[in-house]
Amino acid sequence: MKRSITLSSLCLFAALANAQPVLTFSGNAPVAGTSYTLHYSPYVSPGQAGADQAWNLAALGTDSMDVIQLVLPAATANGPSFPGSTVAETGAAASMYWRAAADGMYFVGSDASDLLIVNSDEGKYLPFPCTYQTTWSDDVIAAFTSDGFDVFRNGTITGTADGYGTLTMPFGNVNDVLRIHWHEETSDSTEFFVFESVYDSYLYYAAGQSYPLVQLVSTSITFMGQTT
């Protein structure tokens, strides 16, 4: 009898240790009134996709930091320009406005040095619920004025929850982490030129936390035939 109970307990522990994380509205949507410290670091390899991964990001360092405040949009100077947004992230180069809904997180727009970009078609950046092998795609559309130019933005977001497992950070290990591979291609068109951007990101989320533990980002910009 003791042997049977011991084996059952070990099996239960193993199942819990390898549980697939599920991101939900109640556990992962950002809430106004909270804050976190954002550490910037040189890019490191994101590791492999798949189940039961062991991602080692212990080499992450800190070049600089920002304290990100999550506030009600009405508390910001240009909050009324972003109708429907439920929370704003302030403290970095731009204020980002989001709409948290039962089916996911939507990007409403941004405010950087009084350059207001309000999306007429909000992009879904994260669906709820989201678990291993969840996929989605959505468009982002906006029209704005920059440096006297009328700009039309047309973009597409695609995302895949491509793995889960244990994440090793400089401070230690975090279990039951879900990784999101997020990709966006955006074209900003004016009467005279086209500015194209590609953002490729890996985000590592823990259930019950409203911001990723890590976001690894690579970007390419194409302007007048030159890609950086």
Side-chain angles (χ1 to χ4, degrees), residues 43 184 196-201 217-222 227-228:
Y43 191 85
E184 180 179 13
E196 297 179 331
S197 307
V198 177
Y199 300 93
D200 197 74
S201 299
V217 185
S218 60
T219 305
S220 66
I221 305 295
T222 301
T227 299
T228 303

Side-chain angles (χ1 to χ4, degrees), residues 95-117:
S95 295
M96 314 295 282
Y97 292 81
W98 302 90
R99 179 171 64 87
D103 66 339
M105 290 298 305
Y106 292 84
F107 184 44
V108 181
S110 62
D111 178 8
S113 301
D114 293 328
L115 172 60
L116 299 181
I117 302 177

Side-chain angles (χ1 to χ4, degrees), residues 40-209:
Y40 296 94
S41 171
Y43 191 85
V44 299
S45 172
Q48 295 183 337
D52 294 317
Q53 292 297 315
W55 297 298
N56 189 348
L57 303 186
L60 286 170
T62 298
D63 288 343
S64 58
M65 296 183 296
D66 282 324
V67 177
I68 305 301
Q69 303 282 344
L70 280 71
V71 302
L72 292 173
T76 66
N78 293 312
S81 298
F82 300 90
S85 60
T86 60
V87 65
E89 292 182 348
T90 65
S95 295
M96 314 295 282
Y97 292 81
W98 302 90
R99 179 171 64 87
D103 66 339
M105 290 298 305
Y106 292 84
F107 184 44
V108 181
S110 62
D111 178 8
S113 301
D114 293 328
L115 172 60
L116 299 181
I117 302 177
V118 182
N119 294 328
S120 57
D121 188 347
E122 301 170 355
K124 179 183 282 190
Y125 273 55
L126 181 66
F128 294 137
C130 183
T131 190
Y132 180 49
Q133 295 184 330
T134 296
T135 62
W136 74 98
S137 181
D138 202 12
D139 294 331
V140 180
I141 297 174
F144 56 96
T145 301
S146 176
D147 295 328
F149 293 100
D150 293 329
V151 183
F152 177 74
R153 171 169 292 177
N154 191 354
T156 301
I157 299 167
T158 58
T160 303
D162 72 351
Y164 70 91
T166 299
L167 177 65
T168 299
M169 295 287 287
F171 56 79
N173 293 337
V174 183
N175 295 321
D176 298 335
V177 171
L178 182 70
R179 190 176 81 174
I180 306 295
H181 185 193
W182 180 89
H183 187 86
E184 180 179 13
E185 298 188 8
T186 299
S187 177
D188 290 343
S189 303
T190 75
E191 184 180 358
F192 303 103
F193 60 83
V194 177
F195 188 90
E196 297 179 331
S197 307
V198 177
Y199 300 93
D200 197 74
S201 299
Y202 291 89
L203 303 94
Y204 301 77
Y205 276 95
Q209 184 165 303

